[in-house]
Amino acid sequence: FFFGCVSRCEMVSSQPPPPPPPPPPSPPADPPSYDKARRPLSQSEKRQDDMRRRIRAEMAYPTYVPDKCHPKVESMVRLLRDLTATGDNANGGIDLPRNKAKPFSPEEWDRMARPALGKSPSGPIALNRAKAVHRQCHRYKSEADKAREKFKEERMRMRRLKEMASTSEGGGSKMRDEIVGTTERLREADALATIHELNFRFCISQLTCTARTEILSSCWMMLGPDTIRMMAERGMVDVVCRKEREAVERCAGGLATELTRLAVDR
């Protein structure tokens, strides 16, 4: 009996397994997605793309670095403003003090043109360093001022257009197109004013404290756009390369302090 059972069990186990059940029917395929990149851009989208390209092309610093990550060199900005108001600003230079010297008098100007106490007479003069910074960076300041004037003009134009649109004869598609175009020019002028102002400050950092600004730029590159964007989204933008940024701020502030001290020392 045992051998017979074994024989029958072997016969049963040797039979091929039943075929697997058929797979369930697949769900209906999703409709093809609408690929925005493949369709022709509208005129408005083309203008927006062109504006973004123009704005990015004007940036003298990495495009992914927020403005709050830039060094605060306000002391040098104020000093260059005062030197420009005092000196002859012809051809983008600061050469000679005017007769009506303000905020620096001719005597203060002369003192700033001398070497600082304790420094080699053959070393770089602080006033000459400031002049060099002005010559290289003033164009960004000029562009920022032009953009701000353009913004004011477009803002006044927008007010007039809205007043006209509020009247019975001011409607229509032409008026709407003019309002759209003015809105785009307003945004571009505002963005360019901000960018050129940052360009101006970044240029000051580069020329006043070249080595430390290079270290700061290397820190930005090491973090990269994704990390900086993530830190900004989490409210940590002030932490981005703080040590390197503050080193640039101290360096730039040192030149402004040296010139101010020279002007008041007798």
Side-chain angles (χ1 to χ4, degrees):
F1 171 76
F2 175 76
F3 289 105
C5 178
V6 172
S7 177
R8 285 194 301 271
C9 292
E10 289 176 350
M11 290 176 63
V12 173
S13 62
S14 64
Q15 293 178 358
S26 57
D30 294 333
S33 60
Y34 186 64
D35 191 355
K36 181 179 177 181
R38 294 183 180 180
R39 69 171 172 82
L41 296 177
S42 66
Q43 291 297 322
S44 177
E45 289 171 334
K46 288 181 179 179
R47 290 195 299 268
Q48 292 291 332
D49 284 349
D50 291 341
M51 182 179 69
R52 282 191 287 268
R53 281 194 292 269
R54 289 195 300 270
I55 290 174
R56 284 195 296 266
E58 295 293 336
M59 292 181 176
Y61 53 88
T63 58
Y64 54 86
V65 179
D67 55 352
K68 292 184 179 180
C69 296
H70 285 250
K72 298 175 180 62
V73 292
E74 299 309 310
S75 58
M76 276 299 299
V77 171
R78 290 191 296 268
L79 176 68
L80 292 177
R81 179 198 61 200
D82 292 345
L83 291 176
T84 304
T86 302
D88 181 7
N89 196 30
N91 300 320
I94 307 176
D95 298 323
L96 299 173
R98 297 183 182 128
N99 292 331
K100 296 180 179 180
K102 61 177 186 180
F104 293 113
S105 67
E107 292 78 11
E108 290 172 335
W109 188 278
D110 291 340
R111 287 195 291 270
M112 288 189 294
R114 298 197 301 261
L117 293 176
K119 292 192 174 183
S120 172
S122 60
I125 304 295
L127 181 59
N128 291 341
R129 290 178 59 195
K131 289 180 182 180
V133 172
H134 174 78
R135 281 193 298 269
Q136 294 294 325
C137 302
H138 84 282
R139 62 187 181 95
Y140 295 120
K141 184 65 174 175
S142 299
E143 291 296 330
D145 293 340
K146 290 179 184 178
R148 278 190 285 268
E149 288 299 319
K150 178 69 173 176
F151 179 83
K152 292 178 182 178
E153 294 173 4
E154 295 297 336
R155 185 171 57 184
M156 292 296 297
R157 177 179 175 80
M158 177 64 78
R159 290 175 179 172
R160 291 194 298 267
L161 289 173
K162 288 183 176 180
E163 290 174 359
M164 294 172 60
S166 64
T167 62
S168 57
E169 67 273 9
S173 60
K174 183 178 179 181
M175 177 63 66
R176 288 193 296 271
D177 291 342
E178 289 187 10
I179 290 177
V180 169
T182 305
T183 301
E184 293 174 352
R185 290 191 294 272
L186 265 172
R187 292 173 179 170
E188 182 172 4
D190 188 34
L192 287 176
T194 300
I195 286 169
H196 284 304
E197 198 65 43
L198 284 175
N199 286 344
F200 177 55
R201 284 160 168 73
F202 190 63
C203 180
I204 290 174
S205 300
Q206 286 182 310
L207 294 181
T208 306
C209 312
T210 304
R212 297 189 185 191
T213 304
E214 288 178 355
I215 294 173
L216 175 61
S217 299
S218 299
C219 179
W220 288 341
M221 293 178 61
M222 182 179 65
L223 289 178
D226 293 337
T227 301
I228 291 179
R229 187 181 303 111
M230 178 193 68
M231 295 176 72
E233 291 173 352
R234 295 182 179 181
M236 302 170 59
V237 67
D238 189 56
V239 183
V240 175
C241 301
R242 175 190 290 174
K243 179 181 177 181
E244 292 80 4
R245 183 180 71 248
E246 291 178 348
V248 176
E249 293 171 355
R250 289 192 300 271
C251 176
L255 177 57
T257 301
E258 180 180 347
L259 272 169
T260 304
R261 185 180 298 116
L262 284 170
V264 300
D265 283 348
R266 296 182 181 276

